[in-house]
């Protein structure tokens, strides 16, 4: 018997969102079938400190070749929580993002913006005993994405979390407060209105480090009625 409550699908975007064009190609068209999870879905995978490199959570250093990456340095931190609000320790958190000019280090990204030779745009860490994670990075830029005329994605960072089991797997995006593009973005707008703010980080002067970097807090809930919405 599962130790998890069912997902609250009212918190997550629909598989088919007409304004988000690619969802028409990859979204499911039939109702989901509920099945009882097997043991393999209630255990693992397990990741620990042994999978990490010394600079994996510092995106301003893990891709350096001959200097500092360009852009605004930021600190992103928060806690990973389960459906009961309890900390989820020792879980792998991975991030990937565009650089300050809005360009990914990926062969399919042909946006007419410069690549940064000192910025890889990917990192990972494992949460501590209190479920806390922390990344140092560069604030990502907005970029055009061709979904509709003059379409631009808001500044965002992608997150992938495994949690303690496959049943708590989550892929989502973190946005920044006050971004005017949020009201125009079909991906963000596809999330139910009552859940959208769960995807927006909060500026924190306490996390901010003087003369170094602004700080943002983004807590992530893996399941339950307060779950962080899924965003690919």
């Amino acid at each position: 018997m599962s130790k998890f409550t069912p997902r609250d699908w009212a918190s997550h975007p629909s598989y088919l969102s007409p304004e988000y064009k690619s969802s028409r190609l990859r979204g499911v068209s039939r109702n989901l079938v509920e099945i009882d999870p097997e043991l393999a879905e209630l255990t693992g995978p397990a990741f620990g400190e042994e999978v990490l490199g010394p600079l994996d959570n510092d995106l301003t250093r893990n891709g350096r070749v001959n200097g500092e990456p360009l852009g605004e340095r930021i600190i992103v931190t928060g806690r990973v929580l389960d459906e009961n609000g309890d900390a989820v320790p020792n879980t792998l958190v991975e991030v990937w993002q565009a650089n300050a000019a809005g360009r990914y280090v990926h062969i399919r990204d042909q946006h007419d913006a410069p690549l940064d030779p000192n910025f890889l745009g990917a990192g990972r860490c494992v949460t501590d005993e209190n479920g806390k994670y922390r990344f140092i990075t560069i604030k990502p830029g907005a970029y055009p994405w061709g979904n509709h005329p003059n379409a631009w994605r808001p500044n965002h960072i992608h997150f992938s979390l495994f949690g303690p089991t496959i049943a708590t797997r989550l892929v989502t995006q973190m946005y920044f407060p006050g971004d005017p593009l949020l009201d125009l973005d079909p991906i963000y707008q596809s999330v139910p209105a009552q859940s959208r703010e769960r995807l927006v980080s909060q500026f924190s002067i306490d996390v901010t480090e003087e003369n170094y970097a602004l700080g943002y807090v983004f807590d992530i809930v893996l399941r339950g009625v307060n779950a962080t919405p899924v965003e690919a």
Side-chain angles (χ1 to χ4, degrees):
M1 183 177 180
S2 172
K3 62 180 179 180
F4 300 106
T5 58
R7 286 195 183 276
D8 177 27
W9 294 109
S11 297
H12 300 285
S14 170
Y15 284 107
L16 296 173
S17 300
E19 299 301 318
Y20 178 15
K21 290 185 178 179
S22 66
S23 73
R24 305 174 194 170
L25 302 176
R26 58 192 173 101
V28 298
S29 58
R30 299 183 182 183
N31 292 332
L32 298 179
V33 176
E34 184 174 343
I35 59 175
D36 291 329
E38 298 179 352
L39 180 62
E41 295 167 305
L42 299 177
T43 58
F47 300 99
E49 298 289 345
E50 70 277 359
V51 306
L52 301 179
L55 299 178
D56 278 1
N57 74 323
D58 188 344
L59 282 68
T60 68
R61 298 173 66 196
N62 67 11
R64 284 189 194 179
V65 175
N66 56 13
E68 294 270 356
L70 299 176
E72 177 189 344
R73 231 178 353 237
I74 61 173
I75 298 166
V76 178
T77 187
R79 298 179 69 209
V80 179
L81 307 170
D82 67 14
E83 59 199 279
N84 300 311
D86 296 324
V88 181
N90 305 313
T91 194
L92 182 67
V93 182
E94 298 174 299
V95 295
W96 65 97
Q97 62 169 91
N99 66 19
R103 181 85 181 267
Y104 287 95
V105 182
H106 194 285
I107 192 172
R108 293 186 62 184
D109 188 347
Q110 297 299 311
H111 171 31
D112 183 19
L115 287 169
D116 187 336
N118 295 300
F119 188 71
L120 178 63
R124 59 184 178 176
C125 70
V126 170
T127 57
D128 67 14
E129 65 275 11
N130 297 311
K132 185 177 180 180
Y133 71 88
R134 184 177 185 270
F135 291 99
I136 303 172
T137 187
I138 298 296
K139 189 172 184 180
Y143 57 84
W145 64 301
N147 184 78
H148 55 275
N150 206 14
W152 291 78
R153 290 286 351 262
N155 304 345
H156 63 280
I157 298 176
H158 297 268
F159 276 74
S160 166
L161 299 96
F162 281 91
T165 77
I166 290 296
T168 54
R169 180 82 167 98
L170 177 67
V171 177
T172 191
Q173 297 182 33
M174 184 203 90
Y175 299 98
F176 292 85
D179 192 329
L181 290 174
L182 291 175
D183 290 339
L184 304 174
D185 184 56
I187 298 180
Y188 178 75
Q189 292 294 322
S190 71
V191 177
Q194 75 275 9
S195 307
R196 288 174 195 156
E197 286 301 311
R198 301 177 198 172
L199 295 172
V200 181
S201 60
Q202 295 182 329
F203 168 73
S204 172
I205 195 64
D206 294 326
V207 173
T208 296
E209 294 189 8
E210 188 172 2
N211 299 322
Y212 183 68
L214 295 181
Y216 294 88
V217 174
F218 183 57
D219 291 338
I220 302 168
V221 180
L222 296 180
R223 288 181 69 97
V225 296
N226 295 314
T228 302
V230 172
E231 276 210 352

